[in-house]
Amino acid sequence: MLMAHPALLRELVGEYEALQAVQTERGNREPSGPMIDVACALCISTGTCDVDAALIAAYHQLPGAQVHEDSLLAL
């Protein structure tokens, strides 16, 4: 399987988290267009079909990641 470059993953995760923070701050429950675009890019980059799984996969693929919580992967 092809793996996304760590710099790309880091950028996508950062952008998604920033958009999510803005959305939460504004009290919106529906994702905005840019957030959907970043979520799709994350899913494609990690080979997943769900943004939560994509974020977990991205965290695991980033260099120096020390992610120990992977209980969501078993769902």
Side-chain angles (χ1 to χ4, degrees):
M1 178 172 126
L2 292 175
M3 304 275 290
H5 193 278
L8 173 67
L9 287 178
R10 191 175 297 112
E11 181 180 330
L12 288 172
V13 168
E15 191 173 344
Y16 184 84
E17 289 174 344
L19 289 167
Q20 190 174 37
V22 169
Q23 179 181 333
T24 301
E25 184 178 292
R26 292 182 180 169
N28 295 342
R29 292 190 177 204
E30 294 297 317
S32 64
M35 191 170 183
I36 293 170
D37 292 342
V38 174
C40 288
L42 268 168
C43 289
I44 292 167
S45 298
T46 57
T48 60
C49 57
D50 174 77
V51 71
D52 293 324
L55 287 168
I56 291 170
Y59 292 139
H60 279 279
Q61 292 177 29
L62 289 174
Q66 295 184 2
V67 181
H68 299 290
E69 176 57 50
D70 62 353
S71 60
L72 292 177
L73 294 177
L75 295 178

mmCIF file of all heavy atoms in Angstrom, residues 2 13 16 20-21 27 30-31 45 51-54 60 62 68 72 75:
data_model
loop_
_atom_site.group_PDB
_atom_site.id
_atom_site.type_symbol
_atom_site.label_atom_id
_atom_site.label_comp_id
_atom_site.label_asym_id
_atom_site.label_seq_id
_atom_site.Cartn_x
_atom_site.Cartn_y
_atom_site.Cartn_z
ATOM 1 N N LEU A 2 0.500 2.212 -0.792
ATOM 2 C CA LEU A 2 1.217 3.479 -0.791
ATOM 3 C C LEU A 2 0.918 4.235 0.500
ATOM 4 O O LEU A 2 -0.195 4.182 1.007
ATOM 5 C CB LEU A 2 0.795 4.330 -1.982
ATOM 6 C CG LEU A 2 1.195 3.814 -3.353
ATOM 7 C CD1 LEU A 2 0.599 4.701 -4.425
ATOM 8 C CD2 LEU A 2 2.700 3.789 -3.480
ATOM 9 N N VAL A 13 -3.799 16.934 9.021
ATOM 10 C CA VAL A 13 -4.296 16.802 10.393
ATOM 11 C C VAL A 13 -4.397 18.186 11.050
ATOM 12 O O VAL A 13 -5.401 18.509 11.689
ATOM 13 C CB VAL A 13 -3.396 15.857 11.229
ATOM 14 C CG1 VAL A 13 -3.729 15.945 12.706
ATOM 15 C CG2 VAL A 13 -3.544 14.425 10.736
ATOM 16 N N TYR A 16 -7.328 20.080 9.528
ATOM 17 C CA TYR A 16 -8.608 19.532 9.984
ATOM 18 C C TYR A 16 -8.886 19.954 11.426
ATOM 19 O O TYR A 16 -9.996 20.372 11.753
ATOM 20 C CB TYR A 16 -8.623 18.007 9.864
ATOM 21 C CG TYR A 16 -9.969 17.423 10.228
ATOM 22 C CD1 TYR A 16 -10.985 17.369 9.279
ATOM 23 C CD2 TYR A 16 -10.234 16.958 11.508
ATOM 24 C CE1 TYR A 16 -12.233 16.858 9.609
ATOM 25 C CE2 TYR A 16 -11.476 16.449 11.842
ATOM 26 C CZ TYR A 16 -12.469 16.396 10.896
ATOM 27 O OH TYR A 16 -13.711 15.904 11.225
ATOM 28 N N GLN A 20 -11.926 22.229 12.706
ATOM 29 C CA GLN A 20 -12.812 21.663 13.717
ATOM 30 C C GLN A 20 -12.925 22.602 14.916
ATOM 31 O O GLN A 20 -14.010 22.778 15.473
ATOM 32 C CB GLN A 20 -12.296 20.294 14.151
ATOM 33 C CG GLN A 20 -13.254 19.505 15.006
ATOM 34 C CD GLN A 20 -12.731 18.112 15.267
ATOM 35 O OE1 GLN A 20 -11.548 17.909 15.450
ATOM 36 N NE2 GLN A 20 -13.630 17.147 15.279
ATOM 37 N N ALA A 21 -11.822 23.235 15.304
ATOM 38 C CA ALA A 21 -11.837 24.174 16.425
ATOM 39 C C ALA A 21 -12.708 25.393 16.092
ATOM 40 O O ALA A 21 -13.483 25.859 16.938
ATOM 41 C CB ALA A 21 -10.423 24.613 16.773
ATOM 42 N N GLY A 27 -20.146 26.970 17.228
ATOM 43 C CA GLY A 27 -21.315 26.192 17.625
ATOM 44 C C GLY A 27 -21.990 25.473 16.472
ATOM 45 O O GLY A 27 -23.123 25.043 16.594
ATOM 46 N N GLU A 30 -22.812 21.028 11.675
ATOM 47 C CA GLU A 30 -22.593 20.515 10.326
ATOM 48 C C GLU A 30 -21.220 20.944 9.823
ATOM 49 O O GLU A 30 -20.860 22.108 9.942
ATOM 50 C CB GLU A 30 -23.670 21.036 9.377
ATOM 51 C CG GLU A 30 -25.059 20.510 9.692
ATOM 52 C CD GLU A 30 -25.156 19.001 9.548
ATOM 53 O OE1 GLU A 30 -24.616 18.453 8.580
ATOM 54 O OE2 GLU A 30 -25.767 18.382 10.428
ATOM 55 N N PRO A 31 -20.460 20.017 9.273
ATOM 56 C CA PRO A 31 -19.137 20.373 8.743
ATOM 57 C C PRO A 31 -19.252 21.329 7.552
ATOM 58 O O PRO A 31 -20.174 21.218 6.753
ATOM 59 C CB PRO A 31 -18.523 19.046 8.325
ATOM 60 C CG PRO A 31 -19.597 18.039 8.406
ATOM 61 C CD PRO A 31 -20.754 18.620 9.125
ATOM 62 N N SER A 45 -5.685 9.807 1.772
ATOM 63 C CA SER A 45 -4.263 9.696 2.119
ATOM 64 C C SER A 45 -3.965 8.520 3.037
ATOM 65 O O SER A 45 -2.854 7.998 3.047
ATOM 66 C CB SER A 45 -3.784 10.981 2.796
ATOM 67 O OG SER A 45 -3.919 12.073 1.926
ATOM 68 N N VAL A 51 -13.546 9.728 8.660
ATOM 69 C CA VAL A 51 -12.575 10.735 9.100
ATOM 70 C C VAL A 51 -11.958 10.382 10.455
ATOM 71 O O VAL A 51 -10.777 10.645 10.685
ATOM 72 C CB VAL A 51 -13.184 12.152 9.087
ATOM 73 C CG1 VAL A 51 -14.210 12.338 10.206
ATOM 74 C CG2 VAL A 51 -12.089 13.201 9.194
ATOM 75 N N ASP A 52 -12.719 9.782 11.355
ATOM 76 C CA ASP A 52 -12.151 9.400 12.653
ATOM 77 C C ASP A 52 -11.066 8.335 12.479
ATOM 78 O O ASP A 52 -10.003 8.406 13.087
ATOM 79 C CB ASP A 52 -13.241 8.910 13.608
ATOM 80 C CG ASP A 52 -14.208 10.019 14.003
ATOM 81 O OD1 ASP A 52 -13.754 11.181 14.157
ATOM 82 O OD2 ASP A 52 -15.412 9.741 14.146
ATOM 83 N N ALA A 53 -11.338 7.349 11.644
ATOM 84 C CA ALA A 53 -10.333 6.323 11.360
ATOM 85 C C ALA A 53 -9.137 6.932 10.637
ATOM 86 O O ALA A 53 -7.985 6.553 10.885
ATOM 87 C CB ALA A 53 -10.944 5.201 10.522
ATOM 88 N N ALA A 54 -9.398 7.903 9.760
ATOM 89 C CA ALA A 54 -8.316 8.569 9.030
ATOM 90 C C ALA A 54 -7.401 9.323 9.989
ATOM 91 O O ALA A 54 -6.175 9.292 9.840
ATOM 92 C CB ALA A 54 -8.889 9.514 7.983
ATOM 93 N N HIS A 60 -0.916 7.498 13.735
ATOM 94 C CA HIS A 60 -0.029 6.334 13.813
ATOM 95 C C HIS A 60 1.097 6.396 12.788
ATOM 96 O O HIS A 60 2.172 5.842 13.017
ATOM 97 C CB HIS A 60 -0.816 5.038 13.616
ATOM 98 C CG HIS A 60 -1.523 4.564 14.844
ATOM 99 N ND1 HIS A 60 -0.910 3.863 15.839
ATOM 100 C CD2 HIS A 60 -2.810 4.720 15.245
ATOM 101 C CE1 HIS A 60 -1.773 3.599 16.796
ATOM 102 N NE2 HIS A 60 -2.932 4.106 16.456
ATOM 103 N N LEU A 62 2.528 9.220 11.607
ATOM 104 C CA LEU A 62 3.435 10.355 11.772
ATOM 105 C C LEU A 62 4.687 9.932 12.527
ATOM 106 O O LEU A 62 4.612 9.141 13.480
ATOM 107 C CB LEU A 62 2.736 11.496 12.511
ATOM 108 C CG LEU A 62 1.658 12.216 11.708
ATOM 109 C CD1 LEU A 62 0.926 13.227 12.585
ATOM 110 C CD2 LEU A 62 2.256 12.906 10.503
ATOM 111 N N HIS A 68 -1.108 5.306 21.826
ATOM 112 C CA HIS A 68 -1.343 4.020 22.475
ATOM 113 C C HIS A 68 -2.823 3.644 22.451
ATOM 114 O O HIS A 68 -3.158 2.502 22.642
ATOM 115 C CB HIS A 68 -0.845 4.048 23.908
ATOM 116 C CG HIS A 68 0.621 4.310 24.000
ATOM 117 N ND1 HIS A 68 1.579 3.410 23.614
ATOM 118 C CD2 HIS A 68 1.303 5.414 24.406
ATOM 119 C CE1 HIS A 68 2.785 3.918 23.787
ATOM 120 N NE2 HIS A 68 2.643 5.145 24.260
ATOM 121 N N LEU A 72 -10.547 2.478 18.848
ATOM 122 C CA LEU A 72 -11.499 2.776 17.788
ATOM 123 C C LEU A 72 -11.243 1.953 16.535
ATOM 124 O O LEU A 72 -12.141 1.746 15.728
ATOM 125 C CB LEU A 72 -11.455 4.273 17.423
ATOM 126 C CG LEU A 72 -11.962 5.229 18.483
ATOM 127 C CD1 LEU A 72 -11.801 6.659 18.026
ATOM 128 C CD2 LEU A 72 -13.426 4.947 18.781
ATOM 129 N N LEU A 75 -13.506 -1.156 15.972
ATOM 130 C CA LEU A 75 -14.945 -1.020 15.706
ATOM 131 C C LEU A 75 -15.332 -1.555 14.377
ATOM 132 O O LEU A 75 -14.839 -1.604 13.401
ATOM 133 C CB LEU A 75 -15.376 0.439 15.811
ATOM 134 C CG LEU A 75 -15.255 1.049 17.197
ATOM 135 C CD1 LEU A 75 -15.663 2.509 17.156
ATOM 136 C CD2 LEU A 75 -16.148 0.310 18.172
#
